[in-house]
């Protein structure tokens, strides 16, 4: 579907209808990556790049987030077989975007309010 409609795609949510019209089979066989490419075309590529690159840039800024890479790869592997039908991929992706900072309890706060 991406190759037939590379610029605009077939439209959000139209993947299943387009497949039924084309093949006569009613099925939603896709993963999140192919769904975004088929339904949104070139904009889907840009959206995927944003989704793939954002956690990595955040990791460069915040090395204390030790679980970021495991959350990121779990999300990536999950959307490759289950798309976003489940709540788990979106939740785990959100966990990879957290800003984690460890502080020492003995340190005084940088801002003291009275």
């Amino acid at each position: 579907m991406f190759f037939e409609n590379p610029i605009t795609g077939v439209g959000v949510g139209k993947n299943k209808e387009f497949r039924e019209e084309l093949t006569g089979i009613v099925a939603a066989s896709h993963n999140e990556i192919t769904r975004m490419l088929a339904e949104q075309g070139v904009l889907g590529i840009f959206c995927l790049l944003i989704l793939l690159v954002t956690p990595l840039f955040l990791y460069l800024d915040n090395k204390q987030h030790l679980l970021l890479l495991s959350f990121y790869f779990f999300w990536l592997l999950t959307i490759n077989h289950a798309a976003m039908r489940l709540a788990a991929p979106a939740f785990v992706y959100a966990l990879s975007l957290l800003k984690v900072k460890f502080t020492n309890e003995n340190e005084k706060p940088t801002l003291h309010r009275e």
Side-chain angles (χ1 to χ4, degrees):
M1 290 180 217
F2 175 75
F3 292 120
E4 292 178 15
N5 303 295
I7 305 297
T8 60
V10 294
V12 177
K14 299 293 184 186
N15 193 2
K16 189 174 181 181
E17 296 172 12
F18 190 78
R19 182 179 290 112
E20 180 182 4
E21 186 179 301
L22 191 65
T23 64
I25 299 171
V26 179
S29 60
H30 61 269
N31 60 27
E32 192 65 19
I33 296 169
T34 59
R35 184 197 65 79
M36 287 184 76
L37 292 176
E39 292 181 1
Q40 294 155 354
V42 174
L43 290 176
I45 293 173
F46 293 128
C47 293
L48 280 173
L49 287 175
I50 290 170
L51 283 171
L52 292 171
V53 172
T54 300
L56 299 176
F57 278 124
L58 290 176
Y59 181 69
L60 295 175
D61 184 43
N62 185 12
K63 301 272 187 184
Q64 292 180 350
H65 192 344
L66 302 174
L67 298 174
L68 183 141
L69 294 176
S70 62
F71 288 147
Y72 179 73
F73 287 118
F74 179 82
W75 166 76
L76 191 62
L77 294 173
T78 305
I79 68 165
N80 275 319
H81 75 83
M84 286 294 220
R85 292 184 206 113
L86 306 172
F91 178 72
V92 172
Y93 184 77
L95 289 176
S96 72
L97 298 177
L98 289 177
K99 177 97 174 167
V100 176
K101 183 177 180 182
F102 296 111
T103 59
N104 189 353
E105 292 179 12
N106 298 331
E107 288 181 13
K108 291 186 178 184
T110 56
L111 177 64
H112 179 69
R113 298 184 185 187
E114 293 181 20

